[in-house]
């Protein structure tokens, strides 16, 4: 593994943060613990985002927060787990396209 290649792609961390944050909150009944999991994964993903560039970092951080926010109204329409999985897939795909591919190319 080189210094350029992260051990875990940010797309995986992004999706895992959204899914894991919800799973922790649901399993424990403590929403704040879910928030801790969400934040920790976001910070870890952000380390790769920064390597891709400041504009990408800003866009992906906004996407991550927006995905979390949008999962709530979407859950009212399609259910909690389908909502979380949908936003996790979208945010993970964005992270792959804007950060992971750029970092691997360098």
């Amino acid at each position: 593994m080189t210094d350029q290649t992260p051990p875990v792609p940010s797309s995986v961390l992004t999706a895992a943060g959204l899914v894991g944050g919800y799973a922790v909150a649901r399993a424990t009944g403590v929403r704040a613990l879910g928030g801790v999991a969400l934040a920790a994964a976001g910070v870890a993903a952000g380390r790769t985002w920064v390597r891709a560039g400041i504009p990408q970092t800003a866009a992906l951080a906004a996407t991550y927060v927006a995905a979390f926010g949008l999962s709530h109204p979407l859950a009212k329409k399609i259910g909690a787990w389908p909502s979380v999985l949908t936003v996790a897939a979208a945010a993970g795909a964005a992270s792959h396209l804007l950060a992971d591919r750029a970092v691997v190319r360098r």
Side-chain angles (χ1 to χ4, degrees):
M1 208 175 322
T2 68
D3 202 24
Q4 295 283 335
T5 306
V8 179
S10 68
S11 55
V12 172
L13 292 168
T14 299
L18 290 159
V19 172
Y22 175 69
V24 167
R26 184 170 175 137
T28 65
V30 181
R31 292 177 69 153
L33 285 179
V36 170
L38 179 77
V43 168
R47 294 180 65 200
T48 299
W49 299 342
V50 167
R51 290 187 210 137
I54 298 303
Q56 291 88 337
T57 302
L60 290 168
T63 300
Y64 192 62
V65 172
F68 170 71
L70 290 172
S71 69
H72 293 80
L74 184 59
K76 293 179 194 248
K77 296 187 182 300
I78 66 172
W81 275 113
S83 170
V84 170
L85 295 174
T86 298
V87 300
S95 189
H96 173 74
L97 293 172
L98 295 178
D100 294 340
R101 290 191 328 168
V103 169
V104 170
R105 286 185 194 157
R106 290 183 178 179

